[in-house]
Amino acid sequence: MGKTPTVSTVYPPAYVRLKEHEREAFLSQLGTFSPVERELFHSLCMGWRPEIHYGQFVELQSSRMKHVRPELESLVGKLYAHGYALFVFTLEENSLVQKYIVLTEQHDHRFCYYVVRNTIYEAAAERKSILPAASYFQEKGLVLPEEEIIPLEPDALLKEYLEEKIPPLHAVSISLDGKALIYLVPDGFTVLLNHCRSMVQLTMENTNVLAEFARFKGTSLAAVRSSLSSRSPLLWFDVVRSLVEYDEVMGENKRVYISPVVFLAARMLRIALENQIEETKRKKQEEEEKKNDFTAICEQVKEQYPEPISGETLSRLFSVLERKYGERFEEVKREFLEEYSTIKDPADLPPLIFIAKKYLHRDRFYGYALARFDFVARRLAEDYVDLMEEVLRTGNRAGHTAFLSPQQFEDDIRERVSHLDPFLAELLSRPRLLAEVIIYTLKDQEGARDVQRLKRVLERFFYPNTMRYLPLSRIFDLDMEILFERAFGRMGIFRQLWWYITGRYRTYKERFEGFTPRIVSLAAPAQEKSQLTIRSARSATVPPPLPARKGKSAVPTSRVIRQRPMGSQIKEKRAYSPREQERVWNEFAKALRESARQNK
C-alpha cells in the first residue's frame, strides 16, 4: 500500500543545473534562507536524483553539520510554498513515514502528483475527514495548475484504467456530480477508496445517524450494520447510493448532521463501485464469450479431425477470431493454448492434448491410440516374421540381435516403434497420459460404471493396479513362439521335416519359450482366468500356419490375453447405486494415481 510509484525518465529541474552562485541568486529570489539551508540546497542539487532518500541524505549531512533535520524541514517547507520541492511520504504498517525528498520544476506534474499522493496517504494514516479536493488545496493556499493534471470522465474511474492509461507521475481529476473536483493518483486509488469507506463507517457509528439512515432506507439497523461490515461491492454500492440519495432528497432539512465531506466520500465510492460492478459484468460476459469461442474451436477439431493436427492447422482454425479480438488476438490465442491444451493436472485432461508436436482432441485420443497400436502391432508382426524367416534360413549370418534375449527384443521393438510412429513412441514414454485417457474415456465420456471393466482395459497396457507399462512384446502381442511358428511355416516341407528329424525345431522352440511373459488379469473372473491359462498353454503347441508368399507375412490372428468383449457380463451379488459406483470409481482412480506417484 505504501509502495512508491515506478519512476519514468525524469530530468532534473533547471535550477539544479545552475552553477553555485546562480543557485544562490535563485534562492534569494524566493526569500530568506539560512547558511545551513543554502548549503543543504546545494548538496541536494549536486546529488540530485528523481527521489532522494531522506534518511541517507540526513545521515550523510549530519557528519558535516549540526541540526540537519530542522534545517532541512525549513528548507523544503520554503521550497514547497513556491512549488519547487516536497517530502514524499509512504505508508508502512499504517503509519506515515517520511521517505524521500523530491525537487521539481515549479508546480509541474510531478509536484502535483506527489502533493496529491501525500494528501491521500496522510488522510488515510491519520484518519482525517479530508479528501484531496480542489477546494481543500485552495484553503491551504496551494493551487495545483489544471494543465498539469489529467481530467477523467466518471466512467474511467477504474483501477485498471488508471494503471494502464495514465502516464507515470501524473495526477488526475474527476468531478463528483458537479459538487467537487477530486484529485487522485493511480497508485493511491485503492488507499483513497478505503479511506472513503472508513469515513462512511465512522459516521455511521453515531447511533442517531445510523437510525436516521435506516429510517430513510426503510430497513433495520442490523441490516445497515451488516452491509457496512461487508466487503461486497454490491452491498456497499447500495449503502453509498442511498447516502447520496439522502443528501439530495433531504437537502438542508436533514434531521442529523453529516459532514459534507462524507457525502463527497459517498459519491466517490458510488462512482467507483458502479464502475467496478459494470466492469466485472463486462469481464464476465467477455470471459463467457471467449470460453464459447474456445469451446467451438475444440468442437471443430473434435468433429473434423479424428487424427492429430499440426500447430499450423490449429492456428488456421483459430484465425477466424482474429477480427473479433483485434490487437488482443495473439494474447487470446496464447491463453487458449495455455488453458485448453496444457496438462496442468494429470487427472484433468485438457480438451486438446499436445503430443508428438501435434494436437488431438481428448474424445478422439483413445480410439486413435487403439488404432495406432493395432496398426503398429500388425506391422511389427510382419517385420519380425520376415526377420525370423531370414534368421532361420541363413543361420543368422547377418548377425541380427533382436532375438538373442527378451531385453534385446524389447529394445528392438522400442526402436522400431520410434521410427514407425512418433505418436506411439511419445505415448509409451508417458504412461500416465494413456492411463488418464482410458479413465476419462470409460468414465466421463462413455459413462461406464463398471470398475472391473476399467481394470481390464488398463491391464491391456499396464501391470495390474499400476501405471507401469507391460513389456512392449505383450502390448503389441508379439509372442516369440508364434512368430517362430509362422516363420517356420514358410519354409519348404522337406526343410521342415529335416528340422524335426535333427531336433533343430525343438531347440528353437525351447529357446523362445518364455520370451513373452504371460500376465493373467487380476480383474478377470476366476473362470475367465482359467480359460486364459489354458489358452496360454495351448499357444505353445499350435500347429505351424500355412506358408505365406515370399516377401509377405500373415497378420496375427490371436493374442495370448485378449481384451474382453465390451458386453461381457460379471455376476454381482447386488446392484450398486450410482453414488456407490461413483465412489468406487474415484477410490480406484485415486489409488492408481497414488501408486504412480510412489513408483516414480
Side-chain angles (χ1 to χ4, degrees), residues 128 144 158 180 236 353 398 435 571:
K128 293 181 177 179
L144 304 182
L158 281 166
W236 261 94
I353 299 175
K571 292 184 179 180

Side-chain angles (χ1 to χ4, degrees), residues 334-354 430 432-433 436 600:
R334 285 193 297 272
E335 182 181 343
F336 168 75
L337 294 176
E338 175 70 20
E339 295 296 327
Y340 283 71
S341 67
T342 302
I343 299 179
K344 299 177 181 178
D345 180 358
D348 185 16
L349 296 174
L352 301 182
I353 299 175
F354 185 68
R430 301 169 64 182
R432 181 156 190 177
L433 174 59
E436 295 294 350
K600 281 185 177 180

Side-chain angles (χ1 to χ4, degrees), residues 217-501:
K217 273 181 61 64
T219 187
S220 66
L221 297 178
V224 176
R225 288 195 181 100
S226 177
S227 297
L228 290 170
S229 62
S230 171
R231 301 296 295 180
S232 167
L234 290 173
L235 292 178
W236 261 94
F237 177 68
D238 179 62
V239 169
V240 295
R241 180 180 57 185
S242 298
L243 193 55
V244 170
E245 184 181 351
Y246 177 78
D247 181 38
E248 294 176 346
V249 171
M250 300 302 292
E252 300 296 329
N253 300 317
K254 299 180 181 70
R255 298 184 180 184
V256 293
Y257 174 76
I258 299 177
S259 172
V261 74
V262 174
F263 288 115
L264 290 181
R267 293 177 187 276
M268 181 77 181
L269 283 172
R270 188 202 64 189
I271 294 173
L273 291 173
E274 184 175 16
N275 290 344
Q276 180 184 342
I277 292 169
E278 291 301 318
E279 179 68 5
T280 301
K281 290 180 181 178
R282 185 192 66 79
K283 286 185 176 180
K284 182 179 180 180
Q285 182 178 357
E286 183 181 277
E287 287 299 315
E288 289 178 353
E289 289 184 8
K290 191 162 55 176
K291 182 178 180 180
N292 291 336
D293 290 337
F294 291 171
T295 301
I297 295 295
C298 292
E299 284 299 309
Q300 188 176 2
V301 173
K302 172 185 173 181
E303 297 300 327
Q304 297 182 9
Y305 298 94
E307 299 184 353
I309 61 174
S310 65
E312 291 75 12
T313 301
L314 185 59
S315 295
R316 188 171 64 252
L317 295 177
F318 203 82
S319 64
V320 298
L321 301 175
E322 186 169 5
R323 178 177 297 180
K324 178 177 180 178
Y325 290 101
E327 295 180 354
R328 297 178 53 230
F329 175 73
E330 290 299 328
E331 175 189 346
V332 172
K333 181 180 175 182
R334 285 193 297 272
E335 182 181 343
F336 168 75
L337 294 176
E338 175 70 20
E339 295 296 327
Y340 283 71
S341 67
T342 302
I343 299 179
K344 299 177 181 178
D345 180 358
D348 185 16
L349 296 174
L352 301 182
I353 299 175
F354 185 68
I355 182 170
K357 299 180 180 180
K358 293 187 176 183
Y359 297 90
L360 181 61
H361 196 281
R362 63 187 177 191
D363 290 1
R364 296 279 195 176
F365 198 102
Y366 184 54
Y368 178 77
L370 286 182
R372 297 312 302 167
F373 273 115
D374 186 59
F375 170 80
V376 171
R378 293 198 305 270
R379 176 65 182 273
L380 288 174
E382 293 170 0
D383 290 347
Y384 281 123
V385 169
D386 290 343
L387 182 61
M388 179 69 76
E389 182 182 2
E390 179 186 342
V391 169
L392 297 182
R393 289 184 181 278
T394 65
N396 197 21
R397 284 197 300 266
H400 297 296
T401 61
F403 305 137
L404 295 182
S405 71
Q407 184 58 52
Q408 286 176 295
F409 189 38
E410 288 291 310
D411 294 341
D412 192 81
I413 295 172
R414 189 175 300 278
E415 182 178 356
R416 288 175 184 265
V417 171
S418 67
H419 288 93
L420 283 173
D421 197 311
F423 173 88
L424 284 189
E426 182 168 335
L427 188 59
L428 289 173
S429 68
R430 301 169 64 182
R432 181 156 190 177
L433 174 59
L434 179 58
E436 295 294 350
V437 165
I438 292 173
I439 294 173
Y440 165 78
T441 302
L442 269 65
K443 180 176 180 291
D444 297 333
Q445 189 181 359
E446 297 183 6
R449 287 293 179 266
D450 184 359
V451 175
Q452 295 304 314
R453 176 188 167 196
L454 170 63
K455 290 184 178 182
R456 291 196 299 273
V457 174
L458 285 169
E459 289 172 8
R460 162 70 175 81
F461 303 97
F462 302 96
Y463 284 100
N465 297 328
T466 73
M467 289 187 185
R468 187 162 56 92
Y469 276 127
L470 294 171
L472 297 183
S473 56
R474 287 285 299 117
I475 292 176
F476 290 103
D477 199 16
L478 298 172
D479 190 306
M480 187 64 73
E481 295 178 62
I482 295 178
L483 297 176
F484 166 72
E485 293 289 0
R486 291 178 56 189
F488 182 75
R490 291 183 178 183
M491 299 170 64
I493 188 65
F494 293 108
R495 177 170 293 190
Q496 291 183 30
L497 183 59
W498 176 252
W499 275 50
Y500 280 122
I501 295 174

